Amino acid sequence: MSGLSGIAVFDFDGTLCHGDSLADFLIELAGPARFAMAAAIEGGKTAWGMVGSQNRIGAERRSLFKAGLLRRLLADMPLETAKAAAARLPGRIRWREDVVEILRQHKARGHHILVASGGLDLYLPPLLEPLGVDAILATPMEVDDQGRLTGAMLGGLKTNCVRVEKARRVSDYLAAQAPYGDSWGYGNLPHDYPMLSLLHHRLVIA
């Protein structure tokens, strides 16, 4: 038994911050020109590969694009290089102070704070550390035995922590924390609908 008085679950991109933190991270890591070129190439490849075959390998276009972009920009990169970029990332993040204040209010009331995001486990922990969150569910990245990123999500596309997969992981987390009293969810639509439907009180962040 956890004995929690309540749990509040927050999405990250578009909820706690404006914009796309993954793009911000990759630009910080690779530079804007290399990022733009990689995005253009992968966007074209994904669109061509999906013609007439939506969901043909069990993943939608956005996930395929994300996977290709990560392979192109992160493969064979030392983990320490990525961590250094993550440490510089706070300067790029535009926080939504109204939602951050809601998080702080939950924290002050003794509620357990969970952030669930499709962002990477490479950069979300240092970004969220100042907010004192209790747990983070993120997209895990694979590291080889030489301490270098492979560019692949650990476990493949199925571990991309978005939409239904995010909801599945949040559901498992909630079950592990039970009983926890009341619950609140903060996210945006349509992507966070599966997650928000798990929680008693929901606020859609526009």
Side-chain angles (χ1 to χ4, degrees):
M1 292 177 59
S2 68
L4 297 176
S5 61
I7 186 165
V9 183
F10 291 81
D11 171 48
F12 189 72
D13 293 326
T15 300
L16 283 169
C17 74
H18 295 282
D20 183 347
S21 64
L22 177 59
D24 289 336
F25 172 68
L26 294 176
I27 290 169
E28 183 63 45
L29 187 67
R34 187 176 172 217
F35 170 80
M37 180 173 290
I41 292 171
E42 290 301 327
K45 285 173 57 180
T46 302
W48 178 256
M50 295 294 286
V51 170
S53 54
Q54 187 72 18
N55 266 1
R56 65 186 174 86
I57 60 170
E60 60 185 39
R61 182 176 301 183
R62 288 167 61 98
S63 293
L64 290 171
F65 170 75
K66 178 179 179 178
L69 194 60
L70 292 175
R71 283 194 302 269
R72 186 169 293 275
L73 293 177
L74 295 183
D76 204 36
M77 175 171 289
L79 178 59
E80 292 307 313
T81 301
K83 287 183 175 180
R88 299 190 301 269
L89 191 56
R92 287 187 176 273
I93 297 299
R94 296 177 295 124
W95 295 98
R96 292 197 60 149
E97 293 298 339
D98 55 340
V99 185
V100 171
E101 179 56 28
I102 292 172
L103 185 153
R104 292 190 178 112
Q105 291 173 8
H106 279 292
K107 189 79 175 171
R109 293 165 63 188
H111 297 156
H112 190 83
I113 308 298
L114 170 67
V115 173
S117 171
L120 307 185
D121 62 354
L122 297 174
Y123 65 79
L124 280 175
L127 272 181
L128 290 166
E129 184 177 6
L131 298 183
V133 306
D134 296 292
I136 302 168
L137 300 177
T139 299
M141 294 303 294
E142 184 178 73
V143 181
D144 67 19
D145 56 8
Q146 302 299 312
R148 304 181 79 87
L149 293 161
T150 67
M153 302 175 204
L154 183 63
L157 278 173
K158 65 183 180 181
T159 62
N160 188 20
C161 190
V162 297
R163 297 175 285 280
V164 174
E165 172 62 12
K166 180 192 286 191
R168 185 195 68 77
R169 292 178 64 183
V170 168
S171 179
D172 288 349
Y173 189 89
L174 293 174
Q177 296 298 319
Y180 47 79
D182 223 342
S183 64
W184 295 262
Y186 303 88
N188 42 75
L189 297 179
H191 310 299
D192 288 324
Y193 177 79
M195 177 191 81
L196 292 174
S197 67
L198 300 170
L199 302 155
H200 299 137
H201 310 287
R202 307 149 200 165
L203 181 63
V204 174
I205 307 300

